[in-house]
Amino acid sequence: MENETLTFNDLPMVVARLRDEVEGLKALLTDLQKSITQQKNDNRRKPMNPREVAEYTGIPLGTIYQKLSLGEIPGIKSGKRWVLYPDEIDKWLEVQRKNPLPLTDTELNATILRTHRRKPGSAALSQSGF
């Protein structure tokens, strides 16, 4: 919309043009988000060796091997080599956290609703005025 003078009669056309542009931007963002998510998912199932896990987590390589042999870290031993997956390592690290991540508002609300139980017959009592 160049620097043109708009009149009241032009508003429906301008609003329609803006709506089309917003819908196009929304479609573009959705496609971009899908491609980013797909790239992340592709990288999450790429097998790693213990050395790569040590670099990824910052945990010393000796500790990685020790925890693998004790079965504390999720991994698969294929012959003489260990195979680990980044998503499983992330889950393991999250479980090892001493301070869990705070819940989002949606998760907190769902938790509260799951734990809130009504007494049997309370719906009938509220309708009768008691």
Side-chain angles (χ1 to χ4, degrees):
M1 289 180 238
E2 297 78 32
N3 291 333
E4 58 187 61
T5 305
L6 296 176
T7 63
F8 185 75
N9 293 332
D10 295 332
L11 283 178
M13 179 186 65
V14 171
V15 169
R17 191 181 321 159
L18 283 173
R19 184 196 66 225
D20 293 342
E21 288 180 17
V22 168
E23 286 177 359
L25 287 172
K26 191 186 296 185
L28 181 66
L29 286 173
T30 303
D31 292 341
L32 183 61
Q33 186 177 17
K34 285 180 185 177
S35 68
I36 289 172
T37 303
Q38 182 63 34
Q39 288 174 352
K40 284 183 181 178
N41 288 341
D42 290 345
N43 291 336
R44 303 306 300 156
R45 292 309 296 173
K46 179 185 173 221
M48 298 170 68
N49 61 35
R51 185 176 311 277
E52 293 170 331
V53 171
E55 291 173 10
Y56 177 70
T57 61
I59 299 173
L61 184 60
T63 305
I64 297 289
Y65 276 115
Q66 180 184 17
K67 291 189 179 291
L68 281 168
S69 64
L70 294 173
E72 294 179 18
I73 295 179
I76 303 166
K77 191 165 187 178
S78 176
K80 293 183 178 181
R81 302 188 188 275
W82 284 98
V83 178
L84 302 105
Y85 293 98
D87 57 340
E88 292 175 355
I89 297 299
D90 289 339
K91 288 178 189 173
W92 173 76
L93 288 170
E94 188 62 36
V95 168
Q96 301 302 314
R97 255 179 191 261
K98 292 185 179 171
N99 298 328
L101 288 175
L103 297 175
T104 63
D105 291 338
T106 306
E107 293 169 336
L108 184 61
N109 191 25
T111 303
I112 291 170
L113 289 175
R114 267 196 313 269
T115 59
H116 180 71
R117 295 181 182 198
R118 293 186 177 183
K119 294 180 183 176
S122 64
L125 290 176
S126 66
Q127 291 175 355
S128 64
F130 288 104

